[in-house]
Amino acid sequence: MNSLLKRQSPIQHLFDPTVGQWGELAQAAVVLAFDSEEVESRALQTLALCDVSALPKLGIKGPAAANWLQSQGVTLPEGIYRTRKQSDGSLVVRLSDNEFLLQEGFVSQTIQTLSELLGWGQEGIARVERQEASFLLAGSRALNVLAQTCAIDFRQAPHDRMVMTRIAGISCRVLPTETESKARYQIGVDATYAVSLWESLMTICQELEGRAIGTAIFTARGTI
Amino acid sequence: MTRLQPHEHQWIDRSRPIEFRFEGQSYQGFAGDVVTSALWAGGVRMVGRSFKYHRPRGTYSLAGDDVNAMFEDGERTNLRGNTLQLSAGLDLRSVNTVGGLKRDLLRFTQLASSMMPVGFYYKAFHTPRSLFPFYEGQMRKVAGLGRINPNQMAQATPKDYAFHDLLVVGAGPSGLSAALAAADEGVGVVLVEQHPHLGGSLAWQRRNDPEAVASLNTLVKSVTAHANIEVRCATQVAGCYADHWYALVDEHRLTKLRTKSLIVATGCYEQPAVFQNNDLPGVMLASAAQRLSHLYAVQPFKKCVVLAGNRDAYRAALDLQQVGVEIAAIVDLRVDGETTALGAQAENAGMEIYRNHAVYEAIAGSGNTTVQGVKICPLGDHGQLDPHSAKRLDCDGVAVSVGWMPVAGPLYQAGGRFTYADHVHQLVPTELPPTLFAAGRVQGVFHLSDRFADGRRAGLTAAVELGCSDQVVRKPIVHAGASPSHPYPIFAHKKKKNFVEFDEDLHLIDFANAHQEGYDNVELLKRYTTVGMGPSQGKLANMNAVRILARLNGKSINETGTTTSRPFHHPVPLAHLAGRRFHPTRHTPMHSWHVKAGAKLVYAGPWLRPEYYPISGKTREELILEEAQHVRDCVGLIDLGTLGKIEISGPDSTAFIDRIYTDQFASQKAGTIRYALACDETGTIIDDGIVARLDENRFYVTATTGGAAAFFRELQRWALIWQMKVELVNLTGQFTAMNITGTKTHEVLTSLTDIDLSNEAFGFGNVREGLIAGVPAKLIRVGFVGELGYEIHLPAAYGLSLWTKLLEVGKLTGIRPFGIEAQRLLRLEKGHLIVSIDTDALTNPFEANLKWVVKSKKEFFVGQRSLAILRQKQLTRKLIGFELPSEYNGPLPEECHLIVEKGEIVGRVTSVAHRSTVGKTIGLAFVRLDMTDPGTSLTIRVDQGKLVPAIVTALPFYDPGNQRQK
Amino acid sequence: MKILTCPINGPLPLQEFHYGGEVRVMPDPHTVSDSEWADYLFHRNGEPGIKREWWHHIASGTWFIAERNNVTDEILRTYLYDGTTAS
Amino acid sequence: MPYRLLKFAFSKEYPEQRMFRSDCALKDEYDVVIVGGGGHGLAAAYYLAKDHGISNVAVLEKGYLGGGGTGRNTAIVRSNYLTPEGIAFYDTSLQLFRDLSRELDLNLFYSERGHFTLAHSPASLRTMRWRAETNKHLKIDSELVTPEFIQKKLPELDLTCGGHQSPIYGALYHPPGAIARHDAVAWGYARGADSRGVEIHQKTAVTDIELRDGCVTGVHTDRGFIKTSKVLSTVAGWTPYLTKMVGLRTPLVVHPLQALVTEPIKPWLDHIVVSASLHLYVSQSSRGELVAGASLDPYELISQRSSLDFAEGLSAHMLDLFPSLGDIKVMRQWAGLCDMTPDFSPIMGTTPVEGFYLDAGWGTWGFKATPVSGMTMAHTVAQGIEHPLIKPFRLDRFNQFQLVGEKGAASVGH
């Protein structure tokens, strides 16, 4: 949709517009980098938190949803809560037999195209508005951050299965992913709780010498 | 005072001396010292005073099992000297003294001790009643230990979770062996030890036994090196909870540990003997003397008497002699004394041994601050002693080693039960749940070789239970030989200063007296005497108390029973438990704008909402009226992001909605909205909102800010119970909403949308979907505030942009944001109620004038059956509008002021506005049924009981014809 | 921190759930007497025993049923409601 | 030192008599059997003997005196309820409490500390005003007070609650609000009843209740059968267990209520502080311990287990209100059982079962009602009809759709 309006991450106002390098991602202003690439990629290895709310999401449900997605060339994950990364970097989560959550990759256009194709919905397919915020928690100390905020043992969590739980007292959807054989955790949260969650996570990250990083480092890679 | 020769296993680091202060004096200790060890080394004998009589107290257990040494440093309080690691700059005072430890004025309370037997405070001070507050004030002053530092601000602490297969509590010989055995089978083990070092009692009990030392060293090496074992020292298992959750507490944090299995190898507390002056500084547990010498290189005494009830006493005696303490005598309670080689060893070492003797009394030095000697007596056939044959021995200390009590807390809390076993004269665990194991002394296994073996047995059994091993499990080991504990190391004395409970200053006689008064079962005795209720939780008192009670009742210990143990096994600071104190708050997408605009924000549940937008020089009330007036005259914009937003679709959606709400929706046309009222099954109003029908089977529903979450949850459950084909989506956070309203609304909105806003195309009570500023949105034409207006619902990510856009476009028109207070005023003028403000926990629709939305003819809706019953009943109250006479200018009513008549309560104000755009003070109120007619005069009683006249007024107060919103 | 196993989301600490009370069958409102209806509304089976209860996993919005011993707090099994289990 | 203590100094033998007789055999028959030896049961026995001359009474307790709710609550007494019927009832209790130490000649440490119920939102402020106004109307000392007033009385309180949540808008202040030594209340009533001939049997469990034609004829215990035509149930958390024996349906469901106590500290908090929104109530005992409790456990459970999440939640809220408590240590946590009703009011009086009297539904407010429930239930059992004060609390109010409106006020009912 090419609207007159900009999309906005619910925590965008937490970042000083004069600090770091800003750019645009899917019609939303984002911080591309807070610091040098070297600093940010080091953080990515140790402990980093990144606001990836700008990545468009699409929810669809209904008896015809699965077939329609497949007909559009989307590879669907088997089994409820399983996730499947597409070749272009976009991500598909199966919420139930006939409900899916799709998230755009950093360079892909798939989800946005699908979204426009779908419009208000079609026979047997309903569109589910998905405006939740999402943060990416990465680095070797990511598990420590989770251990301080969540009662789930993520060391045991498979890297292709969604977890619905509570982090820092807030209901969240956690998508563990694996990149370069390193576990990363994308945390989806109701946009209205985004500020609270970000602030809690960031406090802990900073105590553990982690930092906020921009999206550029992923755009370069094309994927989370 | 000099320290003993260095020794590889001592815990102090002589290369790091540490200066500290105690009661205004400077002392020096070493890193690795605890405060009391450093004080003892510095020659300090009195480290605190007792709770009730303020008797001098010294180092007794050196293990945190007693609270003789309770300190404060101005910052923190109730610090335990036995476990507080020495650190630079410590400046400590003893708690609970007046005028310092030495000159403590409260020490004179001892003089009146004969007037203060057990429970004395129940028997006086209450008559005359008028005097009790004075007495209580005095008692409160002397009670309590440390003082709170009012300036201390609680810090957020980093709580965390941890996960392992097996928790082993206690890193003594059995705990280490257990951990190792389990880990070797592939079990993931966390080994928790309360001391800063591994080894448990072996660290101080068997230091002169090369074999023991060697085997301990090997164990520690393999454990620390083992990949499957995580070691946590200086950590307490403070509590055990359901499903194998454990509270681990160290200096900095609480760790919530989850495991699949538990091995308790916590060992024992050494137990006191009860004799006259058994609390003098200088009388201590033999294990404490051993800790002093072996761990901290401090010589406990010059010359001491060892009171023996078991073999360990002889080891202690030999240990003490070896560090240069002269052993005045071993006084052995047992008829034959120690018959093993140790006995002979002691004799060969030249120690005088009195068999079948007891210490009758410790002789106090000046001010009861030291020991000068003991009186000992031979024991008669029934353990009684005869003072006349007392013999005096000079010494400056008494080392007591008469028995042990298992550290049972973790086992009790994890679901274990204990029974008293006569072959060891201690409680031993029985009936352990399948995933709970005990090993070592805690279950009555005392010989060192047995403890290693028993640990391995427990570790292996746990591994087998966890399915990690198929080895054959051996039976628990049973102790053979003499009992490690004496059955009754308790001796009466006419002077009655023989303490059973040090925390609470309870003497032997107190128990007899309580028993005489009928407190003759263990629970009543505990509550009446307060034994075990003090800060050390009875670790040194409960066992002897039960022994005493059993004798008084002439029953066995098992018949007498013991009290169980609840968390916390070890006291935990509130800050540790509180952790970071997450307080999630919800923000609408427009929140940052409100903040910039300086809005006065108010919490509504988890939400933050603008109450109004302050302008300097204007009062809150002025501004609220102004914002409201502006809506009436021009156009305003309010953030409705907090509204509950729910999509209901699917073939059964109409039927579903008809069952949820009281009104009837089957006939609702697509593109229209209806007011929707929801009741619970008892017919009580729980929520309201609007139902917008988007098309045949697609509805968009709003719910109240406060009720939305619970309401949606119930919708989900009803859909399930009724097995209806409906899709429910909670869009509360996915969408956001704002209401642009006021006469000039169109001037602002038209340019931003392709939706035809003309009355013909889009009349009052309609809903349209279309693009606003290029964004797909829903426009709902509502009349809550009584002016032309549209609720705009759109994807949350665009919320802030649209909000700013509308303000920018409307600038010339004069658009102005308004807060929830103005909205509350506007809706009040229209006579609309707000659920939970104008309704309470029992309000039904009939009382609230909402009969018109209750369709009792319908097949079914939630609450229908109850409303049918309520309809038959006479209503007791009704919601009405009222206004104050225009000429009235006295004090004004507030919400929930009462309406009275002839001294009776006849109603209650639910909403009120002191100033309104209709120029009066108006409000809503519940009143008795006979007072609802317009024109009826009411009397509202306000603060200070002033009476305010009011008149019942027809609703709405504003625009009765609803012309303006049409 | 008792653990409850959601049929969809697996074992999770109890604080992640909302308790929905005992599973009770609504009598036919059209045929019951007033006092039978009141009995359904207000009276409960509070005595010790195995209860069939509604539980709701908050993060995922999943309602399910747990069979629980209300004395030992032992949870015997949990399963999704299929429309028949209530009776 | 009061003269009464001199006797201890000057008597050779310990001068105190037994508070209550030691175990004796059960008789075959009693006029009244009271099931439950907690405060309520013992008080009822006391008033039966004292006010109604009925002393052929047995109190059966499966554990020990006051071992249930009596010994597990946080000992708060107040009468600032929301409804006239509630206020009348609890104020009678408060008046009885005031004089109880003298009447029972046992110091119950009844200490009037003043009771604050904090309002964290305009909404709860409204409810507080509602309560204050109704209270004042019925001559209860109860007032809505400002944050400034609160700060003056409670300098240790952080009115911003840490600044990350709704601040304190005001409070309902109830000067007569008091605490007492809860165990002693049971002991005092036990002595009073015992000395008037009532038999108290500890470690005696009721296994069944015998009915004939819908009338009570006796009670089966683990020590044998007892004939009686009147059974009074005062077992709070175990009520559903007893009502099942007589086939009675009630709204009661049992939830645990947890509490904790800190190490003793010098006098620091003089008042009783309650926060409904933070699910917290706290006071300082005369021993110096801070005694704090939370709201009910969220789900039904007939068990006195403790949970860590309770201790965590309560501690967090304590620090929200009292930041200087950070390193004060929690010694002990425990739990009691609460038999809850839908309208946060008790169930008292006669029942459809002839001779079976119910004193239940004590939820979280049982202790403060001990004297008045004893007095009114004794009256009800003796006369066979409800004492006027408890008419609104009859069991059949639910069938009549006549619920008591207390719910509006009681989210944390202490």
Side-chain angles (χ1 to χ4, degrees), chain C residues 1 45 51 68 70 73, chain D residues 249-250 299-300 302 309:
Chain C
M1 233 122 46
N45 309 312
K51 296 301 198 69
R68 189 177 62 91
N70 71 346
D73 210 9
Chain D
R249 300 261 299 153
T250 76
Y299 68 101
E300 197 181 328
I302 311 179
D309 32 299

Side-chain angles (χ1 to χ4, degrees), chain B residues 949-960:
Chain B
I951 309 110
V952 177
T953 314
L955 295 173
F957 301 96
Y958 174 77
D959 182 24

Side-chain angles (χ1 to χ4, degrees), chain B residues 162-391:
Chain B
F163 306 86
H164 293 271
D165 298 335
L166 169 67
L167 166 63
V168 178
V169 192
S174 49
L176 289 163
S177 312
L180 199 56
D184 282 341
E185 301 299 308
V187 177
V189 179
V190 56
L191 174 63
V192 174
E193 167 57 45
Q194 63 173 339
H195 291 103
H197 304 271
L198 299 178
S201 59
L202 276 195
W204 57 85
Q205 260 200 330
R206 298 293 192 95
R207 273 290 157 231
N208 296 318
D209 172 348
E211 218 175 300
V213 173
S215 35
L216 175 60
N217 293 351
T218 1
L219 258 182
V220 169
K221 258 193 216 66
S222 359
V223 162
T224 36
H226 206 295
N228 292 348
I229 302 178
E230 179 188 322
V231 173
R232 291 196 182 206
C233 285
T235 303
Q236 291 277 354
V237 177
C240 308
Y241 301 90
D243 292 339
H244 282 296
W245 282 101
Y246 303 96
L248 306 188
V249 175
D250 64 20
E251 190 189 348
H252 303 293
R253 72 175 62 194
L254 166 72
T255 295
K256 290 176 272 181
L257 169 71
R258 177 136 204 255
T259 70
K260 304 190 182 81
S261 189
L262 169 67
I263 295 177
V264 177
T266 42
C268 288
Y269 307 115
E270 187 156 43
Q271 293 293 294
V274 177
F275 54 84
Q276 181 67 9
N277 289 338
N278 61 337
D279 67 329
L280 288 180
V283 179
M284 70 174 73
L285 296 172
S287 55
Q290 288 170 302
R291 289 171 197 257
L292 271 175
S293 51
H294 291 316
L295 304 179
Y296 306 109
V298 178
Q299 191 183 49
F301 329 101
K302 296 245 169 315
K303 179 178 184 184
C304 85
V305 165
V306 176
L307 177 58
N310 57 27
R311 180 179 308 177
D312 304 300
Y314 286 73
R315 277 200 202 87
L318 292 161
D319 282 11
L320 289 167
Q321 190 181 47
Q322 193 258 352
V323 296
V325 176
E326 183 188 340
I327 304 301
I330 296 178
V331 179
D332 197 322
L333 300 170
R334 299 169 300 175
V335 178
D336 321 324
E338 181 60 33
T339 51
T340 65
L342 270 170
Q345 211 178 324
E347 253 168 318
N348 304 339
M351 300 181 190
E352 191 166 0
I353 299 173
Y354 294 88
R355 298 190 180 74
N356 199 29
H357 272 64
V359 169
Y360 169 65
E361 173 177 349
I363 300 157
S366 68
N368 288 345
T369 55
T370 55
V371 172
Q372 290 188 330
V374 295
K375 285 189 193 159
I376 67 169
C377 302
L379 288 163
D381 311 341
H382 310 297
Q384 81 284 18
L385 36 74
D386 163 23
H388 306 300
S389 53
K391 174 176 198 286

Side-chain angles (χ1 to χ4, degrees), chain A residues 57-144:
Chain A
K57 295 179 195 62
L58 170 65
I60 69 174
K61 73 197 292 184
N67 292 339
W68 184 75
L69 282 173
Q70 275 158 330
S71 69
Q72 299 301 323
V74 179
T75 340
L76 299 179
E78 298 300 319
I80 289 171
Y81 280 18
R82 291 291 166 181
T83 66
R84 182 63 178 268
K85 205 182 280 181
Q86 307 293 303
S87 51
D88 62 3
S90 58
L91 191 72
V92 181
V93 188
R94 182 188 281 264
L95 301 178
S96 75
D97 292 341
N98 58 10
E99 179 170 9
F100 300 87
L101 167 64
L102 295 80
Q103 176 180 284
E104 196 64 273
F106 279 88
V107 289
S108 60
Q109 291 294 320
T110 326
I111 309 308
Q112 285 146 101
T113 328
L114 286 173
S115 170
E116 277 166 35
L117 273 171
L118 185 61
W120 290 112
Q122 301 178 8
E123 187 54 44
I125 313 175
R127 178 198 194 93
V128 180
E129 196 60 45
R130 290 290 179 185
Q131 293 286 329
E132 60 197 29
S134 42
F135 309 142
L136 184 72
L137 179 65
S140 48
R141 290 196 289 271
L143 282 169
N144 307 32

